[in-house]
Amino acid sequence: MFSELDGEITLFQSRTCDYLVLNESGSAIWELLSSERTLNELCQSLCKEYLIEPDICRQDVRDWLVEACHRHVVLVLDPV
């Protein structure tokens, strides 16, 4: 389950009772995941929105996805 409050996304994983509040960049990733996207597609969109180097973006998004998978709030179809 998720909710938006003051521009930030709040996630609740009922199975694990995990509660997360995403910062601006985490919320941007979450919103991009409203449709199925590859890591490259995520990074292309984020690099356009934020002034970030593609390699740094790729690592940050990869780290975010790994943590989100660990907390069972996203499902990655192909390992990153």
Side-chain angles (χ1 to χ4, degrees), residues 46-80:
L46 292 167
C47 284
K48 287 179 185 176
E49 186 172 342
Y50 300 96
L51 297 176
I52 187 169
E53 293 295 321
D55 290 340
I56 293 170
C57 182
R58 185 175 183 81
Q59 186 59 52
D60 288 350
V61 171
R62 183 185 306 252
D63 291 346
W64 189 95
L65 289 170
V66 167
E67 182 65 22
C69 285
H70 175 73
R71 293 176 179 254
H72 306 286
V73 294
V74 298
L75 174 64
V76 175
L77 298 178
D78 272 328
V80 290

Side-chain angles (χ1 to χ4, degrees), residues 9-28:
I9 302 291
T10 302
L11 306 175
F12 178 72
Q13 202 330 314
S14 60
R15 196 173 81 226
T16 62
C17 294
D18 238 350
Y19 179 76
L20 303 159
V21 177
L22 303 179
N23 62 17
E24 182 181 348
S25 56
S27 294

Side-chain angles (χ1 to χ4, degrees), residues 33-52:
L33 291 173
S34 64
S35 62
E36 193 173 302
R37 296 179 190 256
T38 66
L39 179 59
N40 286 336
E41 291 168 336
L42 289 171
C43 291
Q44 286 173 352
S45 294
L46 292 167
C47 284
K48 287 179 185 176
E49 186 172 342
Y50 300 96
L51 297 176
I52 187 169

